[in-house]
Amino acid sequence: MKKKDMQPKPKARRDKKTAKARLASIVMNGPITIWSILFIIVPVIILAVMSFMSKGPLGIVVYKPTLENYRNIFSSMYFNVIKESLIIAFWTTVLTILIGYPFAAIMAKMKAKTSSLFMILLMIPMWVSGLVIIYSFVILFNQSGILNTILMKIGLISKPLNMLYNHFSVTVGMLYMFMPFSVLPMYSSIEKLDPALIEASKDLGAGPVRTFFKVQLPLTAPGIFAAVLLTFIPCIGYYMVTDMLGGGTNMMIGNLIYRQFTISRNWPFGAALAMVLAIVILLMVWIYKKVGGNLDDLG
Amino acid sequence: MAKPIVSMINVEKWYGRNHVIKNCNLNIMEGEFLTLLGPSGCGKTTTLRMISGFELPTSGIIRVEGESVEKKEPYERDVNTVFQNYALFPNMNVFDNVAYGLKVKKVPKDEIAERVDKMLKLVQLDGFGKRRINQMSGGQKQRVAIARALINRPKVLLLDEPLGALDLKLRKQMQIELKRLQRKLGITFVYVTHDQEEALTMSDRIAVINEGVIDQIDVPQKIYNHPATRFVAGFIGESNILDAVVLGKNDTGIQVGTEAGNAIGVSDDETIETGDAVSIAVRPEDTLFSKERQPGFSIRGVVKDHVFVGNLVKMMVILNDGTEFKINRFNEDDMIEPGQVIYLYWEKEKGKVLKTRSLVNTDSHRDIKGGDEDEEEGYAAEA
Ligand SMILES: Nc1ncnc2c1ncn2[C@@H]1O[C@H](COP(=O)(O)OP(=O)(O)OP(=O)(O)O)[C@@H](O)[C@H]1O
Ligand SMILES: [Mg+2]
């Protein structure tokens, strides 16, 4: 090996380099490939197979092929849960975008120092345990909670408001949890926008409103699409907020799936639900790609 | 005579503690091609942006057609800009880019179509309307940017280094085209560049800016042949500039003494008196030399080397005090072998005596020129 190194043959050296590069790429990509086969592809296949099996007594999976699970999903009760979680996910997404976009735009205009401070504040829900945060909402929204106490003290209301265990509390909780996922992609696309384009629009006589709708919005749309995906998708499957702030009245698909695997012990049905959710998500990602989104923006 | 269409009166601009524009008084005449010329960071873009409304002057007045505009938003001003990197809207095709200003003004659809077509023809982009911006070459984008601005028939068109990103050949071609457009439409052009050659060939008048101060504003010939300051002499064309003291002044010229010897020159500045600290500037092609001393001159030097650059021979002479002095000739036979001692002189009209107004480092323009070339290469590679 060493002898070969000494020979100054350019061609041999180049061959060695590609061999080296290939080795490097195997070393680099190999573990990831193995990891994704083991922990992503294999489980998905197991789940897919399981979704076509039947449930035996005591929650045992019986290997008898059936379409029963998929038929069940479209029965009214379960379908209602799906509808409900889509509605909650929809409103959460709409609200995070409407609140997040101006927030991102303001942050993009700040000096680097200030904007990074806001970035850290924004990231808090990503770092702190979701459980702790959601529980603090319970304290806040309780009948005798902080918010009700304050509102009654200043005389804005006479009776405590029902803020917990309804759509309101669920949406606020979701909003808080998903705001960073919404703001970050929008921030990055607004920041990338060349300020000269905004100036060019104004230079040509367009006021701020027109400039926003004709130039800024279309050019930052990929960031908005990414924000929609990053909020909507995890929101459908996120069960912690609905569990604690929804009081069991509001269920997300995530809750439903979670129950099939725990309380109801109907694994094949849970698997079928998970498959449907996965297909919906893939469909959305596919649409995102179709409208010209960049998958890298999704992180 | 033409009347001023833009007037800047006692305009000052500070960025924090950075004094960027210092007491700017500038009248831009109707229909003229005025170039703001100066090294990087001297305040050219800032001046343009104050006219277009993207920057507010710290103090002073800006008038467009006699009307004070400081309080007007950019979209309320009758001036348009061609931005340095085009700033075309990538979400629209060529037609929509050019039509943008007219749509804002709610011009009827068929009139828009007609005017855009005409404008695209004028900038030689006939039939490119449906193209997307990212399918256009650098030169084509430049034309779209110009068309997009000109279609609004602005009173003044501001151009911030519009050709900076183009390669040399395309640049020359666009210079001619821009000049043609400006003559044809009769619109006032305020053009920013740090390329002196571009400024000299295109402009009706040039304002040479030095660290936020307009050192001189005049027609190109005057700027070249009668620089008002040491900075202008050093920045426009090549010059040998020596620090000097006025020894005497009479009908035959101004006698000055430098560290390397005595010389004679002239000055447009009548306030120069004996004893003043001045500079004397002489162009390499105007410098003469001989084996003997010439009356009034005593600058002596040793020939270092000569280099042949295309149609020109450049000779470098080291003066007594160590200064390098450049001499240009068209013919190699006119040159002297390295190592020889020669005396330098010139026709007294060729030696410009300039009052040392400010402490300007005249060498700095060379660095900037070097930087320019790099930039050009970079852009060419990109294109
Ligand atoms: N927004 C700003 N904030 C602070 N300083 C600025 C700002 N814009 C420009 N400056 C400073 O003002 C000075 C003049 O800048 P300007 O952009 O006008 O230069 P320029 O002559 O256009 O140079 P160039 O040829 O490099 O474009 C520079 O020193 C620059 O650093
Ligand atoms: Mg500039």
Side-chain angles (χ1 to χ4, degrees), chain A residues 146-164:
Chain A
I146 298 169
L147 207 58
N148 268 321
T149 314
I150 290 173
L151 285 178
M152 274 174 26
K153 271 261 163 66
I154 60 173
L156 229 59
I157 50 171
S158 52
K159 258 196 289 177
L161 287 177
N162 227 343
M163 286 188 280
L164 211 50

Side-chain angles (χ1 to χ4, degrees), chain B residues 53-218:
Chain B
F54 293 115
E55 296 290 350
L56 292 178
T58 309
S59 66
I61 298 168
I62 299 175
R63 292 209 181 105
V64 177
E65 283 204 313
E67 196 187 343
S68 192
V69 295
E70 300 94 66
K71 296 239 160 57
K72 281 191 171 181
E73 292 289 332
Y75 48 86
E76 296 168 328
R77 298 191 187 191
D78 272 341
V79 296
N80 285 116
T81 308
V82 174
F83 290 85
Q84 189 158 4
N85 289 312
Y86 322 127
L88 298 174
F89 306 125
N91 55 325
M92 302 176 198
N93 62 20
V94 170
F95 182 96
D96 290 332
N97 263 281
V98 178
Y100 194 86
L102 297 184
K103 281 183 186 162
V104 171
K105 289 198 196 91
K106 303 213 161 59
V107 175
K109 262 216 169 86
D110 20 329
E111 193 190 329
I112 293 183
E114 197 190 308
R115 277 171 70 177
V116 172
D117 278 347
K118 228 171 107 192
M119 190 44 80
L120 287 179
K121 247 182 220 132
L122 194 65
V123 296
Q124 298 172 12
L125 284 177
D126 212 3
F128 279 84
K130 289 257 155 24
R131 284 272 197 108
R132 297 215 70 83
I133 296 305
N134 57 15
Q135 297 167 335
M136 306 286 278
S137 74
Q140 289 168 337
K141 282 184 196 163
Q142 189 54 69
R143 287 162 211 263
V144 178
I146 291 162
R148 184 178 69 173
L150 280 178
I151 200 165
N152 305 292
R153 299 173 183 156
K155 290 179 182 130
V156 182
L157 185 69
L158 309 172
L159 304 100
D160 193 353
E161 300 198 36
L163 310 182
L166 304 180
D167 65 59
L168 198 63
K169 205 173 143 215
L170 197 53
R171 198 163 165 162
K172 296 265 184 244
Q173 189 189 333
M174 285 298 296
Q175 286 175 4
I176 296 166
E177 252 176 74
L178 269 177
K179 190 71 199 168
R180 176 184 65 89
L181 273 175
Q182 192 259 339
R183 286 231 180 85
K184 183 164 176 175
L185 301 170
I187 292 175
T188 312
F189 273 37
V190 183
Y191 192 95
V192 162
T193 183
H194 51 224
D195 179 343
Q196 40 151 316
E197 205 183 307
E198 194 166 283
L200 290 170
T201 51
M202 295 177 81
S203 325
D204 295 327
R205 284 197 304 161
I206 299 174
V208 184
I209 304 180
N210 172 23
E211 296 183 342
V213 179
I214 299 180
D215 262 27
Q216 188 174 10
I217 175 162
D218 217 325

Side-chain angles (χ1 to χ4, degrees), chain A residues 55-75:
Chain A
K55 176 199 167 198
L58 303 171
I60 295 167
V61 179
V62 179
Y63 296 91
K64 200 173 80 194
T66 173
L67 287 175
E68 184 65 23
N69 299 316
Y70 286 95
R71 227 173 283 140
N72 260 345
I73 290 175
F74 296 99
S75 77

Side-chain angles (χ1 to χ4, degrees), chain A residues 71-215:
Chain A
R71 227 173 283 140
N72 260 345
I73 290 175
F74 296 99
S75 77
S76 64
M77 185 189 112
Y78 296 121
F79 197 70
N80 230 13
V81 173
I82 293 174
K83 208 180 78 191
E84 189 87 338
S85 44
L86 288 179
I87 289 172
I88 290 179
F90 174 81
W91 283 115
T92 305
T93 309
V94 168
L95 288 173
T96 42
I97 300 284
L98 285 182
I99 299 168
Y101 193 92
F103 192 86
I106 292 167
M107 240 167 55
K109 270 198 182 162
M110 288 175 185
K111 283 194 196 117
K113 237 185 186 169
T114 349
S115 81
S116 56
L117 178 76
F118 274 83
M119 193 71 87
I120 290 169
L121 287 176
L122 187 72
M123 300 279 227
I124 287 175
M126 289 168 89
W127 292 334
V128 180
S129 155
L131 213 64
V132 174
I133 289 168
I134 294 165
Y135 196 70
S136 68
F137 274 114
V138 175
I139 296 169
L140 195 67
F141 290 149
N142 220 332
Q143 293 263 330
S144 53
I146 298 169
L147 207 58
N148 268 321
T149 314
I150 290 173
L151 285 178
M152 274 174 26
K153 271 261 163 66
I154 60 173
L156 229 59
I157 50 171
S158 52
K159 258 196 289 177
L161 287 177
N162 227 343
M163 286 188 280
L164 211 50
Y165 309 128
N166 53 22
H167 269 130
F168 170 78
S169 57
V170 171
T171 312
V172 170
M174 289 284 198
L175 259 181
Y176 190 79
M177 295 308 290
F178 290 106
M179 198 51 94
F181 299 96
S182 172
V183 169
L184 288 180
M186 291 196 287
Y187 171 76
S188 98
S189 78
I190 295 171
E191 222 221 339
K192 265 188 246 152
L193 182 70
D194 182 0
L197 292 175
I198 304 295
E199 290 190 348
S201 171
K202 292 193 174 161
D203 187 77
L204 293 165
V209 176
R210 193 187 184 96
T211 300
F212 179 77
F213 283 107
K214 291 283 172 189
V215 180

Side-chain angles (χ1 to χ4, degrees), chain A residues 70 73-74 82 253 271-281:
Chain A
Y70 286 95
I73 290 175
F74 296 99
I82 293 174
I253 303 178
L273 280 169
M275 288 312 290
V276 169
L277 184 59
I279 288 164
V280 169
I281 290 167

